[in-house]
Amino acid sequence: MATKRSQARWRVKNRYVKSQLNVMSRRLVHDDLDEIAQRYVLRGKGEAVGFASFVTKGLIQYAEHDAAARRLLEQFAAAFARDRDLYK
């Protein structure tokens, strides 16, 4: 865990572009983030979260113009809603 001083420096340095996201999640989510980071040569779980957000946003935008992507996104959303207790 970082010291209060180093956290304060980080916040001052990044106050306009970043905010900390400390989230408790199941081991499954941590393992998935590790896998994503390794597969796409990312710099850890934090970057994997950003990548997952980027990919999701891209899929949402693509689904606006493509029926197959729209169906796929709807299937992912339904599956997550059904199984959300595994991920929270």
Side-chain angles (χ1 to χ4, degrees):
M1 180 97 163
T3 65
K4 287 183 180 183
R5 184 173 180 222
S6 65
Q7 287 178 348
R9 278 193 311 227
W10 184 91
R11 286 186 189 101
V12 167
K13 177 183 173 189
N14 296 293
R15 70 180 171 266
Y16 297 116
V17 293
K18 294 185 180 181
S19 63
Q20 287 181 306
L21 179 64
N22 298 321
V23 179
M24 292 293 292
S25 60
R26 294 190 182 272
R27 172 61 32 207
L28 171 68
V29 174
H30 285 274
D31 293 345
D32 289 347
L33 290 171
D34 281 332
E35 180 185 341
I36 291 167
Q38 289 175 359
R39 180 172 288 189
Y40 294 99
V41 193
L42 305 173
R43 293 176 291 198
K45 289 187 283 188
E47 198 167 63
V49 170
F51 179 74
S53 175
F54 173 80
V55 170
T56 303
K57 185 68 174 186
L59 183 56
I60 290 167
Q61 291 173 351
Y62 190 62
E64 291 174 0
H65 307 287
D66 185 81
R70 189 175 317 109
R71 283 191 303 276
L72 184 61
L73 185 57
E74 289 169 357
Q75 290 171 349
F76 283 141
F80 181 80
R82 181 186 62 239
D83 299 333
R84 84 175 344 122
D85 287 343
L86 294 174
Y87 298 99
K88 67 176 180 175

